[in-house]
Amino acid sequence: MKKLGFIALALFVHTAFAQTNRFVYQVTMKSDATNKNEVKTENAYLDISKDKSLFYSENRFKRDSIMQQNFQSGGGRGFNREQMQELRSNINYSVEKDRNNQKTLFKDRIGRDAYVYEEDRPLNWKISSETTNIGEYKVQKAETDFGGRQWTAWFTTDLPYQDGPYKFGGLPGLIVKVEDTQGDYSFDLMKNYKIPEIAALNQFGNTIKVKRTDFLKQQEKFKKDPVSFMTQSGGGGSSQTRVMGNGGIGAPRGSGGRGGNQNPADMKKREERLKDEAKKNSNPIELQ
């Protein structure tokens, strides 16, 4: 009987990992250090398959779907500007965790390009014996210091995943809730369901592979002068590798709808929006 029970458990785990599960988290953010009363909330997806997981914005997924449908129809239908505006996201990054090689890849857009780096800081958890219930799950407490913040997580062993939202993971179960002690950022599991496979996010322009330190340098340059950053022909860290959306190396800049004749009024609005967005991201999720 014990052997049969073990086989049944093994089959359950195999079946769980043979399909993709989507976990929907509510992300709460106070990204403007000058206005902590402004709380931004939106949903994000954590898609988990046998070999990897991907964390990204629900709004980005919806925008990508609309754009993809438009491209497939030849672009004749155009975009509903109001609808696309409503789907703008404060979560411009995505996080991919590769279970086979234990790597975490962080990708975020700076200006026109997407930058990707491999996370080089391990998560050192202190697991507490404290337990409670969150929704339908029995959860256990764990704490860690990461990115200049102290985080408290609650994980459950009811689900066979050692994963979580953002870069968090590595606990003996799925993270149901994680928040920093200042109350600036929190991720709360809302629901989950099955999907055919992990989403394939659209990638426009170039993807530049850099070290984390180079990414931070480029990010700081953009924050100081986003307009100048976007008009520069160079960019990227000292150890960058430029990869086209189709996988080619050494992609030339100037493609993918850049440049061209733009209305001066539209350019001015874009400049003002970039500067305003840079100012409002003065309290990022990672402080160091």
Side-chain angles (χ1 to χ4, degrees), residues 25 83 88 133 240:
Y25 286 84
Q83 182 184 27
R88 288 188 64 187
N133 289 288
Q240 72 177 19

Side-chain angles (χ1 to χ4, degrees), residues 151-174:
W151 297 88
T152 299
W154 295 91
F155 67 93
T156 180
T157 56
D158 295 344
L159 297 165
Y161 305 104
Q162 296 183 0
D163 210 328
Y166 192 58
K167 298 176 181 179
F168 300 110
L171 286 166
L174 182 75

Side-chain angles (χ1 to χ4, degrees), residues 101-117:
N101 57 28
Q102 300 299 309
K103 289 184 178 180
T104 297
L105 298 178
F106 179 86
K107 181 184 287 186
D108 197 0
R109 180 166 293 279
I110 306 178
R112 296 187 177 100
D113 294 319
Y115 288 70
V116 60
Y117 68 81

Side-chain angles (χ1 to χ4, degrees), residues 83-108:
Q83 182 184 27
M84 296 295 280
Q85 185 70 20
E86 290 176 353
L87 292 176
R88 288 188 64 187
S89 175
N90 296 294
I91 304 172
N92 298 310
Y93 59 82
S94 63
V95 181
E96 180 180 321
K97 304 187 188 88
D98 189 318
R99 187 172 291 105
N100 294 325
N101 57 28
Q102 300 299 309
K103 289 184 178 180
T104 297
L105 298 178
F106 179 86
K107 181 184 287 186
D108 197 0

Side-chain angles (χ1 to χ4, degrees), residues 48-244:
I48 304 178
S49 67
K50 178 182 177 182
D51 299 318
K52 69 176 185 178
S53 68
L54 183 65
F55 182 77
Y56 57 100
S57 163
E58 179 184 68
N59 280 355
R60 175 182 174 179
F61 178 75
K62 291 179 178 179
R63 285 170 63 94
D64 277 6
S65 298
I66 293 172
M67 295 178 74
Q68 189 65 32
Q69 290 173 8
N70 188 67
F71 291 148
Q72 289 176 350
S73 65
R77 293 187 301 174
F79 294 116
N80 184 321
R81 289 183 175 273
E82 184 176 339
Q83 182 184 27
M84 296 295 280
Q85 185 70 20
E86 290 176 353
L87 292 176
R88 288 188 64 187
S89 175
N90 296 294
I91 304 172
N92 298 310
Y93 59 82
S94 63
V95 181
E96 180 180 321
K97 304 187 188 88
D98 189 318
R99 187 172 291 105
N100 294 325
N101 57 28
Q102 300 299 309
K103 289 184 178 180
T104 297
L105 298 178
F106 179 86
K107 181 184 287 186
D108 197 0
R109 180 166 293 279
I110 306 178
R112 296 187 177 100
D113 294 319
Y115 288 70
V116 60
Y117 68 81
E118 181 181 341
E119 179 54 61
D120 54 1
R121 298 163 296 174
L123 283 164
N124 298 311
W125 293 101
K126 180 181 178 182
I127 300 178
S128 167
S129 59
E130 184 178 348
T131 62
T132 186
N133 289 288
I134 297 180
E136 62 185 289
Y137 302 112
K138 179 180 179 181
V139 295
Q140 188 171 347
K141 184 179 179 181
E143 296 175 303
T144 189
D145 290 319
F146 182 76
R149 295 181 186 272
Q150 185 177 353
W151 297 88
T152 299
W154 295 91
F155 67 93
T156 180
T157 56
D158 295 344
L159 297 165
Y161 305 104
Q162 296 183 0
D163 210 328
Y166 192 58
K167 298 176 181 179
F168 300 110
L171 286 166
L174 182 75
I175 295 175
V176 174
K177 180 181 180 65
V178 59
E179 62 182 341
D180 73 298
T181 53
Q182 300 299 316
D184 291 342
Y185 287 85
S186 69
F187 301 82
D188 297 86
L189 179 62
M190 306 298 290
K191 60 182 178 180
N192 70 87
Y193 50 89
K194 309 291 185 187
I195 58 173
E197 59 186 357
I198 289 181
L201 301 178
N202 291 335
Q203 181 58 61
F204 302 98
N206 298 317
T207 296
I208 305 174
K209 296 180 179 179
V210 295
K211 293 181 179 179
R212 183 176 61 87
T213 51
D214 291 328
F215 171 83
L216 295 176
K217 291 176 183 178
Q218 294 303 107
Q219 191 178 58
E220 192 60 30
K221 287 181 181 179
F222 178 76
K223 288 180 180 179
K224 288 182 178 179
D225 192 345
V227 178
S228 175
F229 185 95
M230 293 188 68
T231 56
Q232 291 176 355
S233 60
S238 58
S239 60
Q240 72 177 19
T241 300
R242 188 177 300 279
V243 182
M244 285 189 67

Side-chain angles (χ1 to χ4, degrees), residues 10-24:
L11 287 172
F12 168 76
V13 173
H14 174 77
T15 302
F17 281 120
Q19 51 195 335
T20 300
N21 284 266
R22 172 168 290 166
F23 295 89
V24 183

